[in-house]
């Protein structure tokens, strides 16, 4: 009999079937097409990235869209937007707490954002070429997922979640360490340096705030990440990328399953209004992802060597995910 501590979460058949069906369309390589090629060096472009802060203005006031650059901590931030998140207080009262999206310029070639922790500070990879930049950013995001899962495990424990969810979150943090190593090796191979991960200190938050992050970074982000990694594992011409990504894709699918399992467990504890807000947050995150994918055609070298889906293929994949997200 399997040790209780080793037991994995139950599989999510709808998630697995949807991802498997969408991956049928991936352009699997024939062995004949894998001859060594001179990759050259395609310089990377830049595009807009984002990080969120919840700080107040220096005078204690609430930022607005005109003055919010004052709370953005990175000098590369060039525009900002103020949003709010519903927060439940210990006395049961609810308020809308403001937070600011800070937009920066970052290298292109982002496949999937994985699970970004709250307070992740923007960083810039040192890379001359598109492939190096892509894998350095990937390694940075994989490394950033480690504190995100450790925090999730702590918060699940504090909210009295079942032990199997807490264990799965801790196990996921360990898997993200492995992903970081694999992506770092790919980045190094292309002469790129992975930036350090910096995360602002976490502060306690409500179950609902946790679930909003889980909806965006997990149910949407990691589900999409699992799908894109599975695509890369089939389509990349670079054998080392295929090997690394096939392990990562398997793990990411379990991370996506964990996200949906967390949501299924926790939504029973929410009021119907809070459940509706959560659905809306998940949809908003999905539409945000759709907008980003629609705006970016990956470099040809990333499509060929790293196996990234082209913009059209990526949009098709997102359409296929709607059955899960809506
Ligand atoms: Fe990962
Ligand atoms: Fe992950």
């Amino acid at each position: 009999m399997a040790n209780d501590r080793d037991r994995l979460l139950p599989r999510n058949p709808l998630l697995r079937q949807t991802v498997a069906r969408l991956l049928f369309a991936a352009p699997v390589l024939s062995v004949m097409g894998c001859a060594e090629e001179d990759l050259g060096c395609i310089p990377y472009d830049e595009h807009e990235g984002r990080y969120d802060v919840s700080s107040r203005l220096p005078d204690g006031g609430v930022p607005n869209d005109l003055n919010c650059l004052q709370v953005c901590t990175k000098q590369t931030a060039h525009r900002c937007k103020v949003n709010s998140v519903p927060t439940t207080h210990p006395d049961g009262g609810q308020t809308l707490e403001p937070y600011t999206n800070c937009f920066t310029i970052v290298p292109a070639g982002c496949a999937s954002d994985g699970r970004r922790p709250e307070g992740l500070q923007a960083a810039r990879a040192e890379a001359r070429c598109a492939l190096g930049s892509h894998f350095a950013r990937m390694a940075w995001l994989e490394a950033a997922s480690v504190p995100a899962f450790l925090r999730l495990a702590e918060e699940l424990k504090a909210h009295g979640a079942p032990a199997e969810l807490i264990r799965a979150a801790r196990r996921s943090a360990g898997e993200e360490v492995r992903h970081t190593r694999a992506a770092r090796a790919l980045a190094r191979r292309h002469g790129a340096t992975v930036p350090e991960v910096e995360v602002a200190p976490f502060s306690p938050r409500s179950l609902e705030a946790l679930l909003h992050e889980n909806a965006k970074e997990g149910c949407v982000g990691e589900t999409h990440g699992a799908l894109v990694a599975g695509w890369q594992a089939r389509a990349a011409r670079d054998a080392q990328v295929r090997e690394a990504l096939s392990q990562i894709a398997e793990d990411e699918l379990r991370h996506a399953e964990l996200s949906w399992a967390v949501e299924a467990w926790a939504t029973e504890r929410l009021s119907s209004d809070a459940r509706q807000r959560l659905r809306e947050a998940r949809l908003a995150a999905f539409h945000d992802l759709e907008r980003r994918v629609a705006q970016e055609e990956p470099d040809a070298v990333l499509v060929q060597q790293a196996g990234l889906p082209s913009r059209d293929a990526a949009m098709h994949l997102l359409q296929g995910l709607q059955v899960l997200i809506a």
Side-chain angles (χ1 to χ4, degrees):
M1 206 172 98
N3 187 322
D4 210 36
R5 294 180 62 80
D6 297 334
R7 231 180 46 219
L8 298 174
L9 281 179
R11 293 187 164 209
N12 179 328
L14 177 62
L15 174 69
R16 286 187 177 256
Q17 283 160 15
T18 305
V19 168
R21 183 175 53 76
L22 289 167
L23 287 179
F24 266 128
V28 180
L29 282 178
S30 78
V31 177
M32 297 301 288
C34 295
E36 279 292 314
E37 290 175 50
D38 176 10
L39 304 183
C41 176
I42 315 256
Y44 63 79
D45 299 322
E46 293 182 325
H47 75 281
E48 197 167 60
R50 196 190 94 189
Y51 66 98
D52 300 341
V53 291
S54 51
S55 317
R56 301 271 171 149
L57 293 168
D59 65 4
V62 175
N64 60 45
D65 286 348
L66 295 177
N67 61 19
C68 52
L69 268 181
Q70 291 180 51
V71 301
C72 293
T73 49
K74 293 280 172 182
Q75 285 183 344
T76 48
H78 66 110
R79 75 180 180 93
C80 57
K81 181 160 184 20
V82 176
N83 287 296
S84 57
V85 63
T87 301
T88 307
H89 299 285
D91 63 1
Q94 263 206 348
T95 53
L96 283 176
E97 289 301 313
Y99 69 96
T100 301
N101 305 141
C102 299
F103 294 89
T104 60
I105 299 298
V106 296
C110 156
S112 130
D113 284 348
R115 183 178 274 266
R116 289 167 306 164
E118 183 184 27
L120 176 63
Q121 308 293 301
R124 191 188 164 96
E126 291 298 326
R128 264 184 333 113
C129 306
L131 282 165
S133 171
H134 171 74
F135 291 121
R137 179 172 165 77
M138 178 182 162
W140 176 70
L141 287 167
E142 297 285 8
S145 303
V146 178
F149 274 117
L150 292 176
R151 185 190 193 190
L152 178 65
E154 287 301 308
E155 289 184 310
L156 288 173
K157 196 174 168 197
H159 287 293
E164 60 182 3
L165 290 181
I166 301 166
R167 270 201 306 272
R170 288 193 188 127
R171 188 185 303 120
S172 302
E175 288 163 351
E176 299 294 10
V177 172
R178 280 210 313 268
H179 300 176
T180 306
R181 275 194 215 117
R184 192 185 292 276
L186 290 168
R188 229 184 266 134
R189 209 167 128 232
H190 292 284
T193 309
V194 181
E196 287 296 312
V197 168
E198 286 177 51
V199 183
F202 298 136
S203 39
R205 60 181 172 179
S206 65
L207 179 63
E208 188 177 353
L210 177 167
L211 290 173
H212 277 241
E213 180 179 278
N214 182 65
K216 180 179 170 206
E217 303 296 334
C219 299
V220 174
E222 295 228 83
T223 301
H224 178 245
L227 185 54
V228 172
W231 185 281
Q232 289 181 269
R234 286 161 177 76
R237 286 193 191 174
D238 183 328
Q240 197 174 329
V241 175
R242 291 200 302 278
E243 193 186 333
L245 268 292
S246 57
Q247 178 62 57
I248 289 174
E250 263 179 50
D251 294 341
E252 295 300 347
L253 202 50
R254 282 198 307 280
H255 299 177
E257 284 178 323
L258 168 61
S259 308
W260 290 101
V262 166
E263 183 164 308
W265 163 75
T267 43
E268 289 174 13
R269 284 151 185 80
L270 297 181
S271 66
S272 62
D273 282 355
R275 279 202 292 270
Q276 179 59 24
R277 286 194 293 271
L278 187 59
R279 264 194 300 275
E280 286 166 8
R282 195 170 63 228
L283 270 178
F286 184 71
H287 292 315
D288 190 37
L289 178 61
E290 267 185 331
R291 271 192 297 277
R292 281 189 289 137
V293 168
Q295 281 168 12
E296 193 176 328
E297 180 69 81
D299 285 332
V301 72
L302 295 178
V303 173
Q304 289 163 11
Q305 298 301 326
L308 280 188
S310 66
R311 178 171 45 198
D312 286 352
M315 291 304 291
H316 174 74
L317 293 180
L318 279 174
Q319 269 173 20
L321 282 188
Q322 266 179 355
V323 62
L324 298 172
I325 309 291

